[in-house]
Amino acid sequence: MAAPTKPHTAATPSAEAPSAETPESSMPSFEPTQDGISLPKPPVFATSAEERLHRKQQLAGAFRIFGRFGFGEGIAGHITVRDPEDPDMFWVNPFGMSFRHIRVSDLILVDHDGVVRYGNKPVNRAGFVIHSAVHEARPDVVAACHAHSVHGKAWSSLGRKLDPITQDACALYDNHTVVAEGAGAVVVDREAGAALAKGLGDLRMAFHQNHGIFTVGDTVAEAAWWFISTERNCQAQLLAEAAGTPTMIDHANADFTREQTGSPFAGWFSFQPLWDEVVRTDPDLFD
């Protein structure tokens, strides 16, 4: 078990954490597609306070959804999102709290040195080391996910990328990798975190060998969807290979499918049905 860093309470960024009421500006806006049909798109905010609240709500909701899918494994697992006002800090779950119980008010703000800047609960040292390294190396990454999901753990032990055996698996075709350095060891030092960040490069997902899935995105929704989809793709390929030899989708079709289903928008949009469900069933996540 990785020892938690010691928390202390300090000031939040200049815009104090607002109430859990969803601001009007966080409602999805719409734009027409080429077929003339309107689809929602990620919301745009007038203030950093509104954007912070939205990101924290999405983060709490993503944890609830991860809990429903059974991605919790004791104290393991973390999702982070950058603070919109201070991008060198990120919001994360408290160490040792069930994914299924997390509320907006439970989230803590951590800086790149692992110091809890807002909140009075501890942070998982392993989560801090990995996520801070990725956020530091990838200014484009707003959110990152990692959990010890069963099929992701199993697949990571093989040291292989996923094959394009289904349409769903093609979403991250040529957009994921395997990071073997530090395989199996608990990540507690900055060098190990930096190695994973370097191995991820500019991709959307990495299997940390003998550890599990790590995904990133422009939004919490996108990063969470890539994790959920990857976990199920691992399950599908494990089942297919147990039954026989899967037929591969050829490169041209796999590449085409990725272009249609693997964009940041596609990841964000794919998460929306799950978000709508958890908003209805778990309104206390906004507390």
Side-chain angles (χ1 to χ4, degrees):
M1 180 194 306
T5 60
K6 192 173 183 179
H8 72 81
T9 302
T12 192
S14 60
E16 290 292 328
S19 68
E21 183 179 354
T22 305
E24 290 185 6
S25 59
S26 72
M27 295 297 101
S29 55
F30 293 78
E31 62 181 7
T33 68
Q34 62 182 1
D35 298 319
I37 300 173
S38 296
L39 293 175
K41 63 180 180 178
V44 177
F45 300 90
T47 68
S48 59
E50 290 176 341
E51 186 164 7
R52 176 182 300 113
L53 176 58
H54 175 75
R55 289 184 182 187
K56 291 173 69 178
Q57 289 171 342
Q58 294 273 295
L59 188 59
F63 280 119
R64 296 288 183 109
I65 291 166
F66 273 33
R68 286 186 183 182
F69 278 110
F71 297 164
E73 182 81 2
I75 60 172
H78 14 79
I79 308 175
T80 54
V81 64
R82 285 188 194 273
D83 185 82
E85 185 176 355
D86 192 337
D88 291 329
M89 299 185 190
F90 50 89
W91 296 92
V92 66
N93 51 311
F95 190 43
M97 186 172 188
S98 169
F99 288 172
R100 298 183 71 175
H101 295 163
I102 291 177
R103 303 165 299 172
V104 168
S105 59
D106 294 314
L107 300 171
I108 56 178
L109 184 67
V110 184
D111 65 22
H112 277 298
D113 293 321
V115 177
V116 177
R117 302 296 296 275
Y118 184 81
N120 58 5
K121 298 174 183 177
V123 64
N124 185 339
R125 171 70 182 179
F128 151 70
V129 167
I130 295 174
H131 286 247
S132 64
V134 171
H135 281 289
E136 188 171 13
R138 292 277 302 275
D140 62 303
V141 166
V142 171
C145 303
H146 169 67
H148 290 190
S149 54
V150 173
H151 301 100
K153 287 192 296 184
W155 186 263
S156 74
S157 72
L158 303 178
R160 296 166 51 195
K161 295 196 295 183
L162 285 170
D163 294 319
I165 63 170
T166 66
Q167 288 182 358
D168 294 332
C170 292
L172 294 181
Y173 178 68
D174 279 349
N175 201 7
H176 74 283
T177 190
V178 175
V179 179
E181 189 167 348
V186 176
V187 180
V188 293
D189 58 68
R190 288 181 178 272
E191 291 72 19
L196 191 148
K198 181 179 179 181
L200 175 65
D202 61 355
L203 304 176
R204 259 1 194 202
M205 186 270 283
F207 291 110
H208 196 206
Q209 191 168 318
N210 305 103
H211 187 188
I213 303 164
F214 193 92
T215 61
V216 299
D218 291 356
T219 59
V220 172
E222 182 199 353
W225 176 254
W226 297 143
F227 189 98
I228 293 164
S229 180
T230 297
E231 166 68 10
R232 294 181 68 82
N233 289 331
C234 289
Q235 181 181 12
Q237 186 155 355
L238 288 166
L239 287 170
E241 292 190 353
T245 302
T247 299
M248 302 294 169
I249 297 172
D250 64 75
H251 171 74
N253 282 322
D255 195 60
F256 174 79
T257 302
R258 186 199 65 240
E259 291 178 358
Q260 306 305 310
T261 65
S263 68
F265 171 78
W268 175 87
F269 189 55
S270 295
F271 185 76
Q272 298 315 298
L274 296 174
W275 171 252
D276 291 342
E277 286 180 12
V278 78
V279 166
R280 286 196 180 192
T281 60
D282 292 38
D284 63 310
L285 75 87
F286 296 100
D287 293 345

